[in-house]
Amino acid sequence: MEAGEHNIEITAADEAGNEATYTLVLNLKPVVVSKKNPNPVIYDGEYATITLKNFKHGEIYEYSDMFGYSVEFNVENKCDEPIDVYLSMYTSINDYQVKGYYTINPIAPEKKGTAFSYIEDKEIPKEVGNFSQIDSIVCIKKHNQDESFYRISTTFMTDAVKK
C-alpha cells in the first residue's frame, strides 16, 4: 500500500498449457487528512478498521512539557491476535525525516480501542521552516511481531490540525 506507481504482472495458464502475461501499472495515492476530510477511514479490510479520531498540535500528554503533533486512531481489530497501529519511523516533513513515536497499546482480538502516535516539535529541524503537510505511513502489525503486515501511505495536511 505504499503510495506511488507499482508494476503488477499477472500470468494465467489454462489446462492446455497456453499462458498469457499482462502487465499493468497500479497508481496508489495516500489517504489525505485535511480540513475537508478530518476523520478519514485509513484502512477497512480483513485485519482491522482504522479511522482517524484526532489530529492536533499542542501539548502531547497533559502536564508533560512535550509539545508536537499527535495522531489518535479508532481501531477495530478483526484479527485473532492483538494488533498495534502506529505512524512509521519513515515520517517526513518536506525533505526531512522526523522521528515518530507511539504508545504500545495493543488492541485485543475482536475488540475496539484507540492507538496513539506523535511527533515532538523538538524533532522537527528548524530548516524545515513553514510546512503544510506531514507524510507518513500508518502501520498495522501483530503485537509480538517485528514488522508490519500492512502499511497505508497517509498525508496529514496541517490545515486539519485541531488545537
Side-chain angles (χ1 to χ4, degrees):
M1 292 293 292
E2 302 279 338
E5 290 187 358
H6 303 275
N7 291 323
I8 308 292
E9 189 173 283
I10 301 168
T11 302
D14 63 17
E15 290 177 1
N18 299 313
E19 190 174 290
T21 300
Y22 182 77
T23 302
L24 62 102
V25 176
L26 180 64
N27 188 5
L28 295 176
K29 297 183 179 187
V31 172
V32 177
V33 177
S34 66
K35 194 173 198 171
K36 290 182 180 180
N37 191 26
N39 302 102
V41 173
I42 304 292
Y43 172 81
D44 188 9
E46 81 178 277
Y47 305 113
T49 299
I50 302 168
T51 306
L52 184 70
K53 180 179 181 180
N54 202 356
F55 172 51
K56 65 181 187 172
H57 184 261
E59 192 172 35
I60 294 171
Y61 295 109
E62 194 172 13
Y63 310 115
S64 68
D65 291 331
M66 293 171 54
F67 291 88
Y69 292 88
S70 60
V71 180
E72 195 172 11
F73 303 100
N74 283 326
V75 179
E76 179 184 346
N77 183 354
K78 297 178 185 176
C79 296
D80 57 2
E81 295 182 49
I83 62 169
D84 297 321
V85 175
Y86 57 95
L87 291 182
S88 166
M89 65 179 164
Y90 299 110
T91 296
S92 63
I93 299 172
N94 294 341
D95 293 333
Y96 292 90
Q97 183 172 330
V98 294
K99 192 171 189 177
Y101 299 92
Y102 66 97
T103 57
I104 299 174
N105 181 31
I107 309 302
E110 306 296 326
K111 299 291 183 188
K112 295 179 182 179
T114 306
F116 182 75
S117 290
Y118 60 93
I119 303 162
E120 286 188 75
D121 283 346
K122 70 180 184 179
E123 299 288 344
I124 302 171
K126 292 193 185 329
E127 299 90 283
V128 166
N130 292 332
F131 57 92
S132 61
Q133 71 185 51
I134 299 169
D135 296 304
S136 191
I137 299 168
V138 176
C139 300
I140 307 169
K141 75 175 188 77
K142 291 185 179 173
H143 180 62
N144 291 321
Q145 291 186 348
D146 292 333
E147 293 189 25
S148 57
F149 58 83
Y150 218 81
R151 302 161 51 88
I152 304 98
S153 294
T154 307
T155 297
F156 298 87
M157 305 303 293
T158 57
D159 72 351
V161 166
K162 296 175 185 166
K163 301 198 185 239

